[in-house]
Amino acid sequence: MEKRAKREALDILLSNNFKSTVTVLLSVIAIVRYIVFPSLPREICMYAILLSTLADLILMNYRGIPKLVFKKANFGIGAFLFGIVQILYHICFLRVMGISALVTLNHAGYVALFIGVLVIPSLLFIMSEKNHIYIIGVLIYSICLLFNMMTIFNAAYMLGNRHIFAAIGIVLFMISDIFILIRENMKDNTFIRKLIWVFYPLGQIMIILGV
């Protein structure tokens, strides 16, 4: 009975009401943080979170509106928006470091690159049965995520303090993305869907606090 009660309590993670509330709350936190502690990096982070919320609502087909508007393309549209989110995070942490382009990597940046070298081939295995357009789209997104991760790790190593939270956050974000690919390509069950909405909001909030 106790295990069943815990399982039912976690079922809230599958609810669109929960997901929409969480993603909107993330945007509110990003907006408030920018208003209270204004800076260019926090402004860019705020735009990234707002775009993430829009992408989340599209991906969850909130109230059936996204599928009505985008038909079967709502997953692709949501993924494309999250690609832009990764680019915005990349720009955000370049500004944190006071540079306009990532021309050198420190030790942490190389760690992020190593993680990417391990993860991206694994994604190819997960997507082995998909068509070429799908695979290319995911790879482009993965490269954007990798550059973003290298930038955030660089900033965390260079500046330390709160930026370490962002480094942890982008790893959690990546883990949630991997679970999405597993759900879409290998195995779809309630446990995997719940894990996505454990790692994703934790990752986002840590990135917000890490800027």
Side-chain angles (χ1 to χ4, degrees), residues 65-118:
I65 296 172
K67 279 198 174 179
L68 187 64
V69 176
F70 302 114
K71 308 301 180 185
K72 294 182 179 180
N74 66 309
F75 181 82
I77 296 293
F80 174 76
L81 292 177
F82 268 116
I84 298 175
V85 168
Q86 297 301 336
I87 294 171
L88 286 174
Y89 279 146
H90 171 69
I91 296 170
C92 169
F93 282 90
L94 286 176
R95 295 295 180 266
V96 164
M97 291 184 286
I99 58 178
S100 58
L102 189 63
V103 293
T104 59
L105 292 178
N106 55 37
H107 294 305
Y110 281 114
V111 169
L113 179 60
F114 178 73
I115 292 172
V117 169
L118 290 179

Side-chain angles (χ1 to χ4, degrees), residues 16-66:
N16 272 3
N17 286 335
F18 169 81
K19 294 176 185 177
S20 58
T21 300
V22 168
T23 192
V24 169
L25 184 58
L26 288 170
S27 283
V28 170
I29 293 171
I31 292 168
V32 170
R33 186 164 170 78
Y34 168 63
I35 292 173
V36 176
F37 306 105
S39 70
L40 180 57
R42 291 194 184 105
E43 181 180 5
I44 298 170
C45 177
M46 177 185 68
Y47 295 143
I49 295 293
L50 288 169
L51 196 58
S52 296
T53 293
L54 176 60
D56 286 333
L57 295 175
I58 291 172
L59 287 171
M60 73 179 69
N61 190 31
Y62 185 69
R63 297 187 181 277
I65 296 172

Side-chain angles (χ1 to χ4, degrees), residues 8 13 25 40 42 57 67 70 90 94 111 122 124-125 139 144 154 165-166 172 198-199 201:
E8 289 176 352
L13 296 172
L25 184 58
L40 180 57
R42 291 194 184 105
L57 295 175
K67 279 198 174 179
F70 302 114
H90 171 69
L94 286 176
V111 169
S122 302
L124 287 173
F125 174 76
L139 284 177
C144 291
N154 245 45
F165 289 114
L172 297 178
V198 169
F199 286 101

